[in-house]
Amino acid sequence: MILVLTQVLVAAALLLTVVALGYALFDRVIGNVVLGLAALVELGVIVQLVRGLAGIPSLDGSKATFTAYLITLPFVLAITVWSAIKDKTRWAMASIGIGAFAVAVMTLRLQQIWDLHG
Amino acid sequence: MAETHSGHGPGRILVAVYGVLALAATGRSILQIVEYFDRAPLAYILSALAAVIYIVATVGMARGDRSSTRIALLACTVELVGVLVVGAFSYAVPSAFPDKTVWSHFGSGYGYVPLILPVLGIWWLNRVRRGSTQTSSAA
């Protein structure tokens, strides 16, 4: 995992969490700001996925969790954003917020495993 | 208008939280079973069971038809019982739970979300079910 990218990614995902929950709170539907931010986070997640997959053989433990998190991570935002585009309600925005928060937490966890076992 | 689909409206938030928890529980349980099952088989089996139940609840709630809602309700109930029983046991017999699982210590490792979530889930699913019975009897 690329440490700097992890840091940027976590910051961006947390920003997305706040923005999306703000949208939900003020009942605004999904727009370019949220979509752009989500696209940036997703791009970072995919870069980490590629880097992470390449590094799996050299991990000395926790391979299963690492792989499971790594592979599911790109789906989290993809699914929540997709649902917000189809269903333009505040509730769908709130689920993007929850998804983005999960991305931040899981990315941190991945980095932690990487640092411990890499 | 009362919401009659468990995966729409505020239910979307529950589906999202359930999905995340299903993911977290599945990840942790894969790790525990693959890498050190012998350390605490009971705790790890329960952990895997919790993961499966979260998946069932997520899918049931997201589908939202009558029988799916019923299945999701059942899953939420099992979950509530599970988190209460396992939570109590993990304080009474700590040696059986050397590592944190989703349900041990009433879900404290996950910010007590596993304790609160089934209560919200049961409340929401019952609301939806009541809503849909009223709609169908009115029609």
Side-chain angles (χ1 to χ4, degrees), chain A residues 62-63 65 83 87 91 94-95 98, chain B residues 9-10 12-13 16-17 31 35:
Chain A
S62 294
K63 274 187 194 174
T65 319
S83 106
D87 173 78
W91 310 112
S95 59
I98 292 162
Chain B
R12 260 179 213 281
I13 299 182
V17 178
L31 165 80
E35 291 178 28

Side-chain angles (χ1 to χ4, degrees), chain A residues 13 16-17 73 76-77 80 94-104 106, chain B residues 16 20:
Chain A
L16 179 58
T17 308
L73 209 39
V76 176
L77 270 188
T80 50
S95 59
I96 293 186
I98 292 162
F101 184 70
V103 168
M106 286 168 76
Chain B
V20 168

Side-chain angles (χ1 to χ4, degrees), chain A residues 31-93:
Chain A
N32 287 339
V33 176
V34 169
L35 270 180
L37 207 52
L40 271 180
V41 173
E42 187 70 8
L43 187 67
V45 166
I46 290 168
V47 173
Q48 293 288 48
L49 167 71
V50 174
R51 178 66 191 94
L53 283 178
I56 288 175
S58 58
L59 288 181
D60 63 2
S62 294
K63 274 187 194 174
T65 319
F66 188 80
T67 313
Y69 277 10
L70 203 60
I71 291 174
T72 43
L73 209 39
F75 291 97
V76 176
L77 270 188
I79 293 173
T80 50
V81 170
W82 173 245
S83 106
I85 291 172
K86 276 201 335 188
D87 173 78
K88 292 194 169 61
T89 62
R90 63 189 339 175
W91 310 112
M93 290 309 298

Side-chain angles (χ1 to χ4, degrees), chain B residues 89-112:
Chain B
F89 260 102
S90 61
Y91 280 109
V93 198
S95 61
F97 297 88
D99 296 307
K100 284 218 172 94
T101 65
V102 239
W103 284 347
S104 59
H105 306 101
F106 300 112
S108 68
Y110 293 83
Y112 293 102

